[in-house]
Amino acid sequence: EISLISFEPQEGELVVLTIPGKTMVEVAHGYGNYRAEAVWGLEDLEKRRGLLAESLQENLGVPVEGWIEMENGKNVFLTELGNQILGRGETNFSRWDLGRLWWQIRRAGLDKARVLDLAKINVLIPQTLPDQTQVWEIDPARLNAYLAKFFTEPKMREESLAIEVFNGTSHPGLAEKAARLLTNMGGEVVRVGNSDQQSQKSKVKSQKSKRNSYTVQRIMKIFNADWEEKKEEGTAEITLTLGEDYWQKLNQK
């Protein structure tokens, strides 16, 4: 089973979204479409840990900070976190992060978690593959409206900084992908379009006073973007220009 877990420490809210293994996802780095349950095996084959987390981020349109391999599922989540802290499993979180997560979730109460099943919220479309395998495909429009209720980041929503997203490459659709993710996070996206100039590296522009804002720092981290000072006037306070590096992340092995 695959679960996407969101924990908001300020309000102590824990959301667990279970994803059916037969949900089709477009795997990052150009590996094509796979059932979600098969991507972990692909990670082993390609020796590329984190492929499932990256792919879920792009397919679901919400940031995925990291991954944890668990043997026994979400019912013993705190025990599994404890095992990870002791080095008894695979994860890309540091022991410090695991310890903080364990303590905060324990304090909030795992029994109060809101458990959601992607198969039961009318966002999956049944499909039959050529070999007659029954799978699910995600309807992004339905999913966006649903995830925004539970995966919005309060600090980004509170700052309410106007964001414009530009595609700085010749590859279509990148700006729309990024805008979807930022909107689901609670970002105020006011414009989506193409940049006048090509860019190799993704970059974020803002005034110096906004550089250390939660919104700018999150955008820089998620898109591995460099910061530049924004000197030109406009309706947006933050400009994200996606470069060739973002396309390569999604499409090149």
Side-chain angles (χ1 to χ4, degrees), residues 54 81 90 134:
E54 289 183 85
L81 273 180
E90 287 194 73
Q134 300 296 311

Side-chain angles (χ1 to χ4, degrees), residues 30-90:
Y31 284 99
N33 294 319
Y34 280 76
R35 298 191 308 276
E37 63 190 2
V39 181
W40 189 260
L42 180 63
E43 291 191 3
D44 283 335
L45 185 65
E46 295 293 320
K47 295 180 174 56
R48 197 164 199 164
R49 279 289 179 251
L51 200 56
L52 178 59
E54 289 183 85
S55 303
L56 289 178
Q57 175 169 298
E58 298 304 324
N59 284 263
L60 300 179
V62 292
V64 180
E65 301 296 336
W67 51 268
I68 300 173
E69 180 185 17
M70 295 189 173
E71 296 294 335
N72 299 305
K74 63 181 180 297
N75 293 328
V76 288
F77 184 55
L78 287 177
T79 300
E80 289 287 351
L81 273 180
N83 288 334
Q84 296 287 345
I85 294 170
L86 296 173
R88 297 173 182 167
E90 287 194 73

Side-chain angles (χ1 to χ4, degrees), residues 8 22-23 26 45 58 73 81 91 128 141 148 152 167 176 249:
E8 207 296 294
K22 295 190 183 301
T23 304
E26 184 178 353
L45 185 65
E58 298 304 324
L81 273 180
T91 181
T128 303
T152 296
N167 184 354
E176 288 77 10
K249 173 188 173 183

Side-chain angles (χ1 to χ4, degrees), residues 89-117:
E90 287 194 73
T91 181
N92 69 332
F93 286 111
S94 69
R95 290 190 180 184
W96 167 251
D97 286 334
L98 289 167
R100 282 194 336 173
L101 189 60
W102 181 89
W103 170 250
Q104 290 177 333
I105 291 177
R106 183 176 182 273
R107 187 174 60 178
L110 192 60
D111 58 323
K112 298 177 183 177
R114 185 191 295 267
V115 180
L116 313 171
D117 188 341

Side-chain angles (χ1 to χ4, degrees), residues 36 102 136 252:
W102 181 89
W136 299 96
Q252 284 192 352

